Amino acid sequence: MIQFRIQPDSEIPASNQLFNQIRFAIASRQYPPGYKLPSTRALAMQTGLHRNTISKVYRQLEEDGFVESLAGSGIYVRAQGHEGGSRLQSPILKEHPKAYKVVQHALDELLSQGCSLNQAREMFLAEMDWRLRCSARVLVAVPETDIGAGQLMVYELEESLQIPIQLVSMEDLSTVLDQTPSGTVVTSRYFIADAEAIAAPKAVRVIPLDIYDYAKEFEMVKGLSRDSCIGMVSLSPGILRAAEVILHGMRGDELLVMTSQPKDAYKLQAIVKRAQMIFCSDQPSFSATQVAVQTCVDDLIRLPKLVRAGNYIGTKSINLLKRELGLG
């Protein structure tokens, strides 16, 4: 079980600390869809929080669309968008005998339910036509307040998929979808509930993206000596806010955490001069931090250690999109 840490003397309410840590576990797929969350009793024993507080956190997670409660069973991470749906990747069945067996099984199942061959054909053609139309336009949707997260996703998706991706703010998504007959909306699990609510009446599909879990970086943080200073640089203000909460949960007031976006030259130089280690969540942030180090090099007693984190989007999500979009 993931170990959640609560700092009782923090200015951040304990319920907020736990909520953010569980939400990160879901967004980074440490808690994948279908995963059963710990019981309130087990989590109370681990964190020292009252079970009522944990129940309140679970209710908030359910209201925000991250989990669902099954009566008499427990709380489970909710599957979101169209993840995990079945896929036929090629019509050339003779070259793909395993795919041919899948088609046969699906057709047999439809016939056993009373569908005619013509009805089954129409269902297959309608589904394939819809998916092809959805694949023709891919949009990344994020809140305007965290447009940097969207820029990260667009950069990585275009690099991996080799197709154009459109960045849309969540506030403008409904208007944009009104102007297109179909499409695919992708976003982080942090924002999936909002995207699904907007896209529900539209002819589009919504696919959640898993984010990098930062496990390697968290291990590095554990090894830092007390009173060290950590710098965090990212295009996404949301990543910076989440990192502050999580790092505080890990080390409390033992470490000083300084954050900046790459465009804020003043904050960036302050981090370079003070921090022993600087984590950069993306290549633009890493490049900007390198420039800041070179600018301040004459004023530095020792150079900070720069760490470039892994890609923001998890590899499994990239592969899922490739399959859904018919790219491989």
Side-chain angles (χ1 to χ4, degrees):
M1 185 169 68
I2 296 175
Q3 295 298 308
F4 298 111
R5 294 177 175 82
I6 304 299
Q7 294 293 326
D9 57 348
S10 170
E11 295 181 356
I12 302 173
S15 59
N16 287 4
Q17 293 183 49
L18 181 60
F19 178 88
N20 278 285
Q21 291 181 57
I22 296 177
R23 193 169 66 159
F24 176 81
I26 294 172
S28 62
R29 214 174 178 83
Q30 295 177 77
Y31 280 176
Y35 185 90
K36 183 178 181 180
L37 269 60
S39 66
T40 57
R41 180 177 181 180
L43 211 51
M45 293 176 64
Q46 180 192 139
T47 62
L49 298 178
H50 195 280
R51 292 176 66 178
N52 288 344
T53 300
I54 297 169
S55 295
K56 176 185 175 183
V57 170
Y58 280 1
R59 284 195 300 272
Q60 185 62 52
L61 287 166
E62 185 169 15
E63 290 174 4
D64 290 353
F66 291 101
V67 302
E68 57 186 350
S69 175
L70 300 182
S73 179
I75 308 291
Y76 294 81
V77 176
R78 189 171 72 89
Q80 298 162 320
H82 286 78
E83 68 180 357
S86 61
R87 308 166 190 87
L88 288 176
Q89 298 184 34
S90 173
I92 312 174
L93 299 180
K94 290 183 180 180
E95 297 181 13
H96 302 276
K98 290 184 178 180
Y100 181 56
K101 290 180 180 179
V102 171
V103 172
Q104 285 184 312
H105 177 76
L107 184 56
D108 289 342
E109 182 64 26
L110 287 174
L111 294 175
S112 72
Q113 294 182 20
C115 292
S116 68
L117 281 173
N118 280 333
Q119 289 174 324
R121 177 178 179 273
E122 289 301 317
M123 289 181 187
F124 275 118
L125 289 176
E127 177 68 12
M128 286 188 288
D129 179 65
W130 179 72
R131 291 193 180 207
L132 286 170
R133 286 187 289 109
C134 286
S135 300
R137 188 178 190 187
V138 181
L139 304 95
V140 166
V142 295
E144 184 66 41
T145 54
D146 199 4
I147 204 70
Q151 293 171 341
L152 273 178
M153 286 186 268
V154 169
Y155 172 79
E156 292 184 6
L157 289 177
E158 288 189 334
E159 185 176 53
S160 299
L161 305 180
Q162 296 296 299
I163 60 172
I165 307 291
Q166 182 180 353
L167 176 59
V168 181
S169 71
M170 202 71 73
E171 292 79 357
D172 295 333
L173 182 58
S174 180
T175 300
V176 171
L177 293 181
D178 285 338
Q179 300 169 358
T180 183
S182 55
T184 297
V185 176
V186 296
T187 190
S188 160
R189 291 182 187 276
Y190 275 112
F191 315 126
I192 190 67
D194 290 338
E196 285 187 309
I198 295 169
K202 317 291 184 180
V204 299
R205 59 181 168 182
V206 181
I207 299 176
L209 297 175
D210 302 320
I211 65 173
Y212 178 60
D213 64 11
Y214 299 95
K216 179 182 71 175
E217 289 75 16
F218 288 150
E219 283 302 314
M220 297 174 71
V221 170
K222 291 178 183 178
L224 289 174
S225 60
R226 187 184 181 91
D227 296 327
S228 294
C229 175
I230 300 176
M232 289 286 303
V233 186
S234 176
L235 284 170
S236 167
I239 289 179
L240 297 178
R241 288 193 296 270
E244 283 189 286
V245 172
I246 293 168
L247 291 177
H248 185 83
M250 290 175 60
R251 297 292 301 269
D253 295 326
E254 294 178 352
L255 303 177
L256 172 64
V257 180
M258 299 177 68
T259 63
S260 174
Q261 292 185 271
K263 63 184 180 181
D264 194 332
Y266 179 80
K267 280 189 175 182
L268 197 53
Q269 289 189 13
I271 289 175
V272 166
K273 293 177 180 178
R274 179 69 177 83
Q276 287 79 42
M277 185 177 292
I278 303 175
F279 295 102
C280 303
S281 72
D282 51 87
Q283 187 57 47
S285 296
F286 186 71
S287 298
T289 304
Q290 286 180 311
V291 171
V293 170
Q294 291 302 316
T295 301
C296 303
V297 68
D298 292 336
D299 300 325
L300 300 176
I301 298 176
R302 64 176 181 178
L303 297 178
K305 180 177 181 179
L306 303 186
V307 178
R308 165 72 166 92
N311 283 353
Y312 179 67
I313 304 173
T315 302
K316 289 184 178 180
S317 279
I318 294 292
N319 292 335
L320 167 66
L321 275 176
K322 285 183 178 179
R323 292 194 298 271
E324 287 285 353
L325 301 176
L327 300 177

